[in-house]
Amino acid sequence: VKLKLENFQITGSFKLRGALNKLLSLSKSEKENGVIAVSTGNHGKGVAYASKVLGIKSTIYMSSMVPQYRRKAIENLGAKVEIVGQNSDEADLFAKNLAKEKDISLIHPFDDEKVIAGQGSLAYEIFKELNDTIDYLFIPIGGGGLISGFISVFKQLSPKTKIIGVEPTGAASMHESLKNNKLIKLKQIDTFVDGAAVKKSGKIAFELCKKYLDGIILVPEGYICQTILDMYNNEGIIAEPAGAMSLASLNFYKNKIKNKKILCLVCGGNNDITRMGIIKERALLYTNLKHYFIINFPQRAGALKDFVTNILGPNDDITHFEYSKKTSKENGPA
């Protein structure tokens, strides 16, 4: 079955490939029973669209944390969306229990050989187009399905190509697992890079990365935010945080890749315009261009004027000022 990828957001195409390959492997009775999946966005769209094309009923479970626009995007592709749990872990547990109870196929986003093989088809197309001239590949790691596909293809067809994994600093589950030589489940993660924020990497991915990965880079969330802004302002590319990670990682590897041919996978355009304020905020904080101070402010006439004149430098600006005046005190927090 060949799908017209122009009918699907190309930023989600590797998720579509993985879902399609898994659905094609199901038996007739499994297809008739329908499928379910847990997703924060792209995986759900991939399962929804592939199911629609193949005539399979699909239900996508999402936590209440997932933005409304992502739910609508999946519903528009023909799947039923159910909201369960307060976070991805709770939604995942619900779906696993339901799959066992109802004997329904649960399409895992990354820890499945068929899904990995489907996602790996993207790596194979890249290899065919560029041959073995790539020195370095920079691939984002979430659960590990995508990088598993790239490792499987390039380590067979182009073993000289070095594969570098990229994770967000606040959700470095693969990095921790490799460091401890066993799968580690993180107790807490920063969920900002939602497309790559998983507490525990896939087992298949861990085994492949342990054996074949040539390096791993942790990129701070603030720097990822700055990269998102740079990509949009300079190139007109809309990338979600997980999609911008590979490009953001280059600055941490610049001495090794000088005069080398590299490929960065920009995968994910699920970026809500309402998040741009948060993205800008985190970028400014990371680059030390914005700071928050709580100061003890005197309660007298002219105090704010003195502060602006005597404290702020010529290039400084106030972006937010809040002060609750209390007549019973000589000063208070501002």
Side-chain angles (χ1 to χ4, degrees):
V1 176
K2 290 186 178 180
L3 300 181
K4 293 182 179 179
L5 290 180
E6 61 265 27
N7 293 334
F8 187 82
Q9 280 193 17
I10 196 64
T11 50
S13 67
F14 82 88
K15 290 291 188 181
L16 170 59
R17 294 162 187 259
L20 177 62
N21 199 48
K22 178 62 178 179
L23 292 178
L24 288 171
S25 72
L26 299 179
S27 66
K28 183 179 179 181
S29 61
E30 287 174 327
K31 292 176 182 176
E32 290 173 350
N33 287 340
V35 298
I36 61 175
V38 180
S39 176
T40 59
N42 281 332
H43 177 59
K45 289 200 294 183
V47 172
Y49 186 59
S51 297
K52 181 180 179 181
V53 171
L54 297 174
I56 300 172
K57 181 182 176 182
S58 63
T59 303
I60 311 300
Y61 291 96
M62 312 182 88
S63 76
S64 58
M65 297 289 289
V66 178
Q68 180 70 25
Y69 79 96
R70 294 192 180 184
R71 305 177 199 171
K72 290 292 183 184
I74 292 174
E75 288 175 335
N76 290 339
L77 290 169
K80 182 181 179 182
V81 175
E82 295 281 358
I83 306 302
V84 292
Q86 300 298 312
N87 52 56
S88 294
D89 285 341
E90 292 181 6
D92 189 54
L93 181 61
F94 177 88
K96 285 180 179 177
N97 291 334
L98 182 66
K100 291 179 181 178
E101 180 186 337
K102 301 290 186 181
D103 194 26
I104 302 174
S105 297
L106 174 62
I107 311 301
H108 200 278
F110 51 84
D111 205 17
D112 184 291
E113 288 185 1
K114 295 293 184 182
V115 171
I116 289 171
Q119 295 181 5
S121 66
L122 177 61
Y124 185 61
E125 286 188 17
I126 290 173
F127 172 79
K128 285 195 298 181
E129 182 178 335
L130 301 178
N131 207 341
D132 60 350
T133 55
I134 305 173
D135 296 307
Y136 283 90
L137 284 170
F138 290 84
I139 310 296
I141 300 178
L146 183 62
I147 198 163
S148 296
F150 270 79
I151 286 174
S152 300
V153 171
F154 273 86
K155 287 305 177 182
Q156 291 183 73
L157 303 179
S158 180
K160 292 182 180 179
T161 299
K162 294 189 180 298
I163 301 177
I164 311 299
V166 187
E167 282 190 303
T169 301
S173 55
M174 182 63 78
H175 177 266
E176 287 301 308
S177 296
L178 293 174
K179 186 171 73 173
N180 290 278
N181 200 33
K182 64 178 181 179
L183 267 175
I184 299 291
K185 184 175 182 179
L186 303 177
K187 293 181 179 179
Q188 289 184 329
I189 58 173
D190 185 337
T191 59
F192 178 75
V193 187
D194 46 4
V198 298
K199 289 185 177 180
K200 187 178 180 180
S201 301
K203 183 179 179 181
I204 299 172
F206 171 68
E207 295 298 332
L208 285 170
C209 287
K210 183 171 67 172
K211 191 171 182 179
Y212 296 111
L213 196 65
D214 295 295
I216 192 165
I217 302 172
L218 303 186
V219 185
E221 280 76 1
Y223 190 66
I224 294 172
C225 289
Q226 184 60 55
T227 305
I228 292 171
L229 297 176
D230 290 342
M231 292 173 72
Y232 179 75
N233 291 328
N234 300 332
E235 307 295 340
I237 297 173
I238 298 174
E240 64 181 86
M245 281 203 305
S246 62
L247 201 61
S249 71
L250 296 185
N251 195 45
F252 300 89
Y253 231 72
K254 57 186 177 183
N255 293 329
K256 293 185 179 181
I257 60 176
K258 193 173 182 180
N259 299 320
K260 302 291 185 180
K261 186 168 184 177
I262 64 169
L263 184 140
C264 295
L265 204 63
V266 179
C267 52
N270 254 332
N271 209 0
D272 185 3
I273 191 66
T274 60
R275 295 184 76 190
M276 294 307 286
I278 300 172
I279 290 171
K280 182 179 179 182
E281 174 95 351
R282 295 191 70 147
L284 290 171
L285 289 170
Y286 176 77
T287 53
N288 285 321
L289 293 176
K290 188 173 188 177
H291 300 268
Y292 283 98
F293 298 98
I294 297 178
I295 61 173
N296 212 26
F297 208 74
Q299 183 178 287
R300 60 173 173 77
L304 179 58
K305 182 180 179 182
D306 288 344
F307 176 80
V308 172
T309 303
N310 299 321
I311 303 299
L312 293 187
N315 297 318
D316 295 334
D317 195 10
I318 296 176
T319 59
H320 179 78
F321 181 86
E322 186 175 346
Y323 177 62
S324 299
K325 185 175 181 180
K326 297 185 182 299
T327 54
S328 59
K329 295 183 178 181
E330 294 182 357
N331 53 56

